[in-house]
Amino acid sequence: GTAFPFELRIPEWCDEPLILLNGDTIQTESGQRMVRIVRTWNNNDQLTVDFPMQVRTSNWARNSMAIERGPLVYALKVGEQWSLKQDPHRGSYYEIYPTTPWNYGLVRSVIDDPVSNTTVVEKPVNGDFYWNQANAPLEIRLSARRIPDWKLVRGVAYQPVTKRYGQYDGVVDEKVETVTLIPYGCTKLRIVAFPCVGPVGFEPTTP
């Protein structure tokens, strides 16, 4: 065999990878960003690396929250109506309009504990793959409530403000719905940064 070091870079979103050498686990420290394996390597040695992915949230403008898992950011799955248009200077193009509700806020439990309060669905990837809704290989399902006053203004969905203490203060529908998020790259209409809304019966108070 031949002795040499082998280094693996661990992405920031992975707390602790699972590394197997010929079926045996190599111990690593949680949070370690580089793993260095020094040994004598033999023909047919097999090194397997698995990066566990957990659903997590990230903070965005106006105290909104986005849903992430592994290296991907997720966006709301919104129904799309494509309309072919013609422009004398630009030629043919499409306008896309939403056909399903999009004005949702994430319920507080999803923000507080995204791992326990989301469901990840993985789908097989077969044949030619295109980054669109129909081929989205991953879904994240979670609870949300609609915000009636969040509407399009001149075609733009301006982000409502979530207060610094973590709740949107405006009117929110009583009904809790299960919504589906898919990878950002599979969407054309995108709601990514969500307000945070309280549970049913929540009455906001200013600390």
Side-chain angles (χ1 to χ4, degrees):
T2 304
F4 61 88
F6 191 88
E7 293 189 340
L8 299 168
R9 186 183 70 83
I10 310 305
E12 182 274 336
W13 48 261
C14 179
D15 291 331
E16 185 173 1
L18 176 62
I19 304 176
L20 303 175
L21 179 60
N22 299 325
D24 295 326
T25 302
I26 295 176
Q27 296 296 324
T28 62
E29 294 183 11
S30 179
Q32 193 174 356
R33 296 300 98 196
M34 293 294 298
V35 174
R36 182 181 173 97
I37 304 170
V38 181
R39 71 184 303 272
T40 298
W41 301 88
N42 299 308
N43 288 339
N44 301 317
D45 276 347
Q46 186 175 53
L47 191 67
T48 304
V49 184
D50 179 43
F51 298 117
M53 292 180 284
Q54 299 280 15
V55 179
R56 67 189 191 280
T57 62
S58 56
N59 300 321
W60 292 81
R62 300 191 175 191
N63 301 309
S64 61
M65 307 296 291
I67 298 294
E68 302 183 23
R69 179 176 179 264
L72 299 181
V73 178
Y74 283 71
L76 182 68
K77 185 176 182 180
V78 181
E80 300 172 351
Q81 177 183 335
W82 293 57
S83 178
L84 180 62
K85 302 290 184 178
Q86 298 289 337
D87 183 273
H89 303 290
R90 295 180 294 173
S92 300
Y93 67 96
Y94 284 95
E95 289 184 350
I96 308 174
Y97 301 93
T99 61
T100 56
W102 51 265
N103 53 344
Y104 289 100
L106 303 182
V107 300
R108 188 74 219 177
S109 59
V110 172
I111 304 302
D112 291 340
D113 187 357
V115 174
S116 299
N117 292 289
T118 57
T119 300
V120 177
V121 179
E122 299 185 9
K123 300 180 178 180
V125 177
N126 298 314
D128 294 333
F129 181 82
Y130 301 94
W131 285 92
N132 58 22
Q133 280 198 18
N135 287 321
L138 298 162
E139 294 182 352
I140 296 178
R141 297 171 187 169
L142 47 78
S143 296
R145 296 169 64 196
R146 290 187 65 184
I147 300 173
D149 292 336
W150 189 9
K151 300 176 181 179
L152 293 176
V153 178
R154 297 183 298 276
V156 179
Y158 292 102
Q159 178 73 34
V161 176
T162 295
K163 298 296 184 180
R164 289 187 180 274
Y165 67 88
Q167 298 285 171
Y168 169 73
D169 275 353
V171 175
V172 180
D173 278 0
E174 287 291 307
K175 183 180 179 181
V176 177
E177 303 179 47
T178 298
V179 299
T180 298
L181 277 60
I182 58 178
Y184 178 97
C186 291
T187 61
K188 294 294 186 292
L189 300 175
R190 292 162 177 159
I191 300 295
V192 178
F194 296 87
C196 178
V197 299
V200 173
F202 171 82
E203 295 183 2
T205 56
T206 302

